């Protein structure tokens, strides 16, 4: 039995330690907001935060998580930065098919927590490894800029 801290709560799972975090979230805990994309940490659809760092859950075994805090897209409505980012996403109509958006939002939230006033270059670097097959990159960048400006104004 392994206990993980997911979205602020301890969760016990009876899963082998080499099981990827993604499959524990989706299959064991029914948290389907985190998506499976490529299974090789290349697309970013499965991005979650592990101790605040954007992490590809498809290749992260639960043994590597240990007692670190895991945050998923499911908890972003309860997170100040997450709420602002999600609101900007909706306002600017970022999502087209929507499949990659949970991972995009998780990467954007991590960026804004680390760099509250990111430049376009910093946004591009932080979001570079998140793939959007629909090509909504200009709207993603605009939503991050909007969220950053709103977060700065809310201080």
């Amino acid at each position: 039995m392994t206990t993980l801290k997911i979205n602020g709560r301890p969760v016990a799972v009876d899963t082998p330690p080499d099981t990827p975090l993604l499959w524990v979230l989706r299959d064991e805990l029914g948290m389907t907001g985190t998506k499976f994309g490529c299974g090789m940490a290349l697309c970013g659809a499965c991005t979650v935060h592990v101790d605040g760092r954007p992490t590809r859950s498809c290749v992260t075994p639960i043994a590597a998580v240990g007692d670190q805090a895991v945050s998923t897209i499911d908890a972003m409505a309860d997170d100040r930065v997450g709420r602002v980012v999600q609101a900007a996403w909706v306002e600017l109509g970022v999502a087209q098919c929507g499949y990659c958006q949970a991972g995009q939002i998780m990467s954007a939230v991590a960026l804004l927590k680390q760099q509250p006033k990111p430049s376009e270059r910093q946004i591009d670097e932080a979001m570079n490894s998140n793939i959007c097959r629909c090509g909504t990159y200009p709207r993603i960048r605009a939503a991050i800029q909007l969220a950053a400006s709103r977060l700065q104004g809310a201080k």
Side-chain angles (χ1 to χ4, degrees), residues 15-80:
T15 309
D18 62 344
T19 303
L21 177 59
L22 174 65
W23 300 121
V24 170
L25 293 171
R26 290 184 61 81
D27 294 347
E28 301 296 321
L29 303 175
M31 300 174 71
T32 57
T34 303
K35 303 299 184 199
F36 172 78
C38 65
M40 299 181 295
L42 300 173
C43 73
C46 69
T47 302
V48 298
H49 296 169
V50 176
D51 270 355
R53 293 179 315 279
T55 303
R56 304 301 199 238
S57 64
C58 70
V59 296
T60 303
I62 61 169
V65 174
D67 62 355
Q68 299 177 88
V70 175
S71 297
T72 70
I73 190 68
D74 307 285
M76 288 302 101
D78 298 326
D79 179 282
R80 177 178 159 271

Side-chain angles (χ1 to χ4, degrees), residues 68-134:
Q68 299 177 88
V70 175
S71 297
T72 70
I73 190 68
D74 307 285
M76 288 302 101
D78 298 326
D79 179 282
R80 177 178 159 271
V81 176
R83 264 192 316 278
V84 172
V85 169
Q86 287 178 324
W89 241 249
V90 171
E91 184 175 330
L92 297 182
V94 172
Q96 192 163 322
C97 85
Y99 196 82
C100 70
Q101 296 306 310
Q104 300 277 2
I105 288 169
M106 295 303 290
S107 292
V109 169
L111 166 65
L112 291 175
K113 286 184 175 187
Q114 181 181 11
Q115 181 54 257
K117 293 170 131 180
S119 66
E120 284 194 21
R121 181 173 173 236
Q122 289 169 318
I123 293 170
D124 291 345
E125 287 173 0
M127 302 303 292
N128 185 31
S129 62
N130 285 77
I131 296 172
C132 174
R133 289 183 180 228
C134 299

